[in-house]
Amino acid sequence: MKMKTALLGAVACMAFAPAAFAERGSDGNVKVLYSQAVSIMNAYLSSGTKDVEVGSLVLEPLAGFDEVGAVFPRLAAELPSFENGGISEDQTSITWKLKEGLLWADGTPFTADDVVFTAEYCMHPEGGCAQLAKYEGVKSVEALDPLTVKVTFTGPKPNPFTAFVGSTSPILQKAQFANCLGAAAPTCTDANFMPIGTGPFMVTDFKVNDSVELAANPNYRDPAKPTFATLSVKGGGDAASAARAVMETGEFDYAWNTQINPELQMQMNSGGKGKFVSGFGTLVERIEMNMTDPSPDLPEGERSTAKHPHPILSDLRVRKALSMAIDRSLLVEVGYGEAGRPTCNLVPAPAIYASPNTDCMMQDMAGAKALLDEAGWTVGADGIREKDGKKFKLLYQTSVNPVRQDFQALVKGWWNELGVDVELKSVDAGVYFGGDPGSPDTFQKFYADVEMYANNFDGTDPEPYVAQYTCEKAPRPETQWQGENINRFCDPAYDALVAELIQTRDEAKRAEIIIRLNEMLTKDTYTIVPLVDRGRLSAHSNTLGGVVLNVWDSEMWNAQDWFRVK
């Protein structure tokens, strides 16, 4: 039986009239288009934003980040603090109180045991967790009672809102995933594709790299939400066709990541059926350098692993030269217009954490050529550089996307001018970001010399983001090719600085360390070559209400509040 919401007061009724008197499921179906098709619904087995975001409609964390980056409770009764005793005075623990009466979609109780299990799942020594950095510094997680969870850290942790906070760290149902620990994690197909969650929706049908059908969760904690009875996610195609399906044809209600050039944006705005929503956060388009050898001549299981350093890119001078050849301002002009800004940083925001480094801003072809000469790469008769009988050839891969293919063409031209032979490869985005350990084409497996993509971090504190690049987080066969350290970068000094950051309380000192870590990856080593600080750009129909773009968490963060504009 459908239940009506209670009166929210005169002012609230005026402000939220379309949703205030809604009934669960009263607005029928809402159609969402992800140009990168969903491959899995379990965020712990994918670094792909599309998988994390669609999965967040079902699986929830204890707390999330709102549209301004502030932490707010989801499954927690309140945010732990010093005042309520939730954060210990010495900052070595955080205690979460869960909301009473929470149910999983199957009607069983949500308890502290599920939270404890989730930590065990991601931190399992024999498994691979795509979000392990969220648990950096976690010593133990224990259930004090059915509604209380205590997380103890290895030392003082000034930012305790990492594990179980944000869409990349949701809670798994222990009963469903109990047999999926360690190496068994990717084999649990039913659980990974159709997880039982606490979110506003539940999966009714899942087609890998194609579509997801969801229905309103009958046990969702707010009896009036979601107002949509069903939510359909279609994947595939490209950003331009996704935007067109909302802005011009009206076939879909929401299109995620409409990464199209400024001319197309202006053109589509005249369609009259929708609107673009955009905002800057921490999303950086960049080129990643593979520090290991991806050669297919190596035995399977050894390619792109620490056993074999990269024969060309292990030289800092080479990596720096490749960066110096890039005209970032032109990339912004071609690909993003006002929705992009040239950057030399992996962490572009918040401002306190952004490095003042601008060394990469000016293209320097002459300097790049001189560096390659110094490194011993001389131009051969065919115009391609060579050294010790080896040609300078790179495989440069990214996902299928018109802007990315434009970038590939431009960068290839600049690198060709240096005397580098460049082979381009574009992979279907659903596969590229899918995390399938059996696929040779995922960005985690990195069977290429360089690759390009963009991602960002939850919330406004970059601690878990920079912690991704510690040595042990490199994807490898032993972790089912999961891991956030995509480049296989490994520097004990970096790891030590991350450990220091985790226990640093002074905000100015924390900012200093984060800037230093950013520069170790970019300015010092050119392991990561940032290109563009990208604004998020998505589109929704004029008939879809309640949409609030969130650049600090999942774009689906408030789908329970969406409604049909009558």
Side-chain angles (χ1 to χ4, degrees):
M1 179 178 172
K2 295 179 179 178
M3 301 179 65
K4 293 190 175 182
T5 56
L7 278 170
L8 302 180
V11 175
C13 287
M14 292 175 63
F16 301 103
F21 298 103
E23 295 180 341
R24 177 179 290 160
S26 61
D27 282 344
N29 178 249
V30 60
K31 299 172 72 175
V32 176
L33 186 55
Y34 269 65
S35 55
Q36 298 175 9
V38 180
S39 304
I40 195 169
M41 295 289 285
N42 179 359
Y44 292 113
L45 296 184
S46 177
S47 298
T49 303
K50 42 92 177 185
D51 297 331
V52 172
E53 294 205 348
V54 177
S56 73
L57 293 166
V58 176
L59 297 173
E60 298 181 294
L62 298 184
F65 299 97
D66 66 16
E67 73 275 21
V68 296
V71 187
F72 71 98
R74 281 194 182 274
L75 302 178
E78 61 182 354
L79 282 183
S81 65
F82 291 114
E83 291 73 23
N84 61 27
I87 299 176
S88 65
E89 288 297 327
D90 62 2
Q91 296 184 300
T92 60
S93 69
I94 182 171
T95 301
W96 294 91
K97 295 285 187 179
L98 309 182
K99 288 178 178 175
E100 295 185 11
L102 289 173
L103 298 176
W104 292 100
D106 63 1
T108 59
F110 174 93
T111 73
D113 286 343
D114 296 300
V115 183
V116 173
F117 171 80
T118 299
E120 181 184 0
Y121 178 93
C122 186
M123 297 172 69
H124 197 286
E126 297 173 8
C129 180
Q131 314 298 342
L132 189 57
K134 281 283 195 172
Y135 295 84
E136 193 77 27
V138 173
K139 180 180 180 181
S140 64
V141 180
E142 56 185 320
L144 301 184
D145 61 50
L147 293 179
T148 310
V149 179
K150 181 179 181 181
V151 181
T152 302
F153 305 112
T154 54
K157 197 169 193 297
N159 175 23
F161 297 116
T162 54
F164 316 123
V165 181
S167 59
T168 55
S169 193
I171 311 302
L172 303 178
Q173 186 191 55
K174 180 179 180 179
Q176 186 182 32
F177 283 87
N179 297 321
C180 306
L181 292 171
T187 69
C188 294
T189 305
D190 289 346
N192 292 328
F193 290 172
M194 302 183 73
I196 297 167
T198 57
F201 294 93
M202 58 184 188
V203 184
T204 57
D205 187 57
F206 184 91
K207 292 182 175 63
V208 180
N209 294 330
D210 182 10
S211 61
V212 187
E213 294 295 331
L214 303 104
N217 175 2
N219 290 303
Y220 187 60
R221 55 191 172 276
D222 187 329
K225 297 178 181 179
T227 58
F228 287 103
T230 58
L231 187 151
S232 303
V233 179
K234 178 64 179 173
D238 56 53
S241 61
R244 193 168 287 115
V246 170
M247 301 294 290
E248 295 181 350
T249 70
E251 183 183 357
F252 283 83
D253 295 298
Y254 193 95
W256 168 83
N257 191 28
T258 49
Q259 187 182 353
I260 57 177
N261 64 46
E263 290 76 16
L264 267 178
Q265 291 176 40
M266 290 181 62
Q267 199 175 51
M268 290 186 190
N269 266 322
S270 63
K273 294 185 180 295
K275 61 188 71 174
F276 285 112
V277 286
S278 63
F280 279 97
T282 59
L283 188 64
V284 172
E285 190 80 21
R286 75 283 199 132
I287 290 174
E288 304 271 350
M289 302 285 179
N290 196 340
M291 304 301 287
T292 60
D293 191 351
S295 173
D297 296 334
L298 293 172
E300 191 60 33
E302 294 189 15
R303 296 175 65 185
S304 290
T305 69
K307 292 180 180 179
H308 302 279
H310 199 285
I312 299 174
L313 298 176
S314 293
D315 190 329
L316 169 60
R317 294 169 294 184
V318 170
R319 302 193 300 272
K320 184 175 181 179
L322 293 173
S323 175
M324 291 168 67
I326 296 171
D327 184 342
R328 289 162 174 79
S329 294
L330 183 58
L331 292 180
V332 169
E333 181 182 338
V334 168
Y336 298 101
E338 293 184 2
R341 302 181 286 217
T343 187
C344 302
N345 292 319
L346 176 66
V347 180
I352 187 175
Y353 303 122
S355 166
N357 175 35
T358 57
D359 289 2
C360 76
M361 289 299 188
M362 297 298 295
Q363 184 185 44
D364 183 1
M365 294 299 293
K369 291 176 181 178
L371 263 183
L372 293 180
D373 290 340
E374 180 187 316
W377 289 94
T378 57
V379 180
D382 58 358
I384 303 301
R385 290 181 183 265
E386 53 189 41
K387 180 180 180 180
D388 300 330
K390 181 180 180 63
K391 291 287 186 180
F392 196 143
K393 181 175 182 178
L394 298 176
L395 174 60
Y396 174 11
Q397 72 177 12
T398 190
S399 64
V400 174
N401 176 286
V403 173
R404 288 195 171 130
Q405 270 65 78
D406 286 344
F407 277 26
Q408 277 186 307
L410 287 167
V411 173
K412 177 180 179 177
W414 293 321
W415 288 354
N416 285 164
E417 189 178 337
L418 291 180
V420 179
D421 185 8
V422 182
E423 178 185 351
L424 300 181
K425 179 179 179 180
S426 55
V427 182
D428 176 84
V431 174
Y432 187 61
F433 295 112
D436 179 359
S439 171
D441 293 323
T442 65
F443 81 112
Q444 298 101 322
K445 191 162 279 188
F446 207 167
Y447 280 0
D449 301 295
V450 298
E451 64 183 10
M452 182 172 65
Y453 62 88
N455 68 12
N456 62 312
F457 55 89
D458 292 343
T460 57
D461 191 315
E463 180 190 302
Y465 197 53
V466 293
Q468 292 178 353
Y469 294 92
T470 55
C471 297
E472 82 280 1
K473 297 191 185 74
R476 53 195 184 279
E478 295 80 8
T479 65
Q480 291 78 54
W481 294 105
Q482 293 293 346
E484 304 119 308
N485 184 353
I486 303 301
N487 315 77
R488 287 62 160 156
F489 170 84
C490 186
D491 181 351
Y494 187 94
D495 289 15
L497 203 52
V498 168
E500 181 183 345
L501 169 66
I502 290 168
Q503 298 190 18
T504 298
R505 305 186 187 195
D506 180 74
E507 188 62 36
K509 180 62 176 176
R510 286 177 63 78
E512 179 184 318
I513 294 174
I514 288 169
I515 289 171
R516 184 75 200 100
L517 291 167
N518 169 82
E519 291 182 350
M520 289 175 76
L521 295 168
T522 56
K523 181 180 180 180
D524 293 358
T525 69
Y526 295 89
T527 303
I528 297 173
V529 177
L531 303 173
V532 181
D533 175 11
R534 282 176 45 191
R536 285 220 194 177
L537 181 71
S538 293
H540 70 85
S541 69
N542 292 331
T543 65
L544 181 61
V547 174
V548 178
L549 183 69
N550 189 336
V551 299
W552 308 108
D553 207 331
S554 168
E555 285 191 28
M556 300 291 108
W557 76 291
N558 76 327
Q560 70 276 2
D561 298 326
W562 290 0
F563 58 89
R564 184 67 65 197
V565 177
K566 303 296 193 295

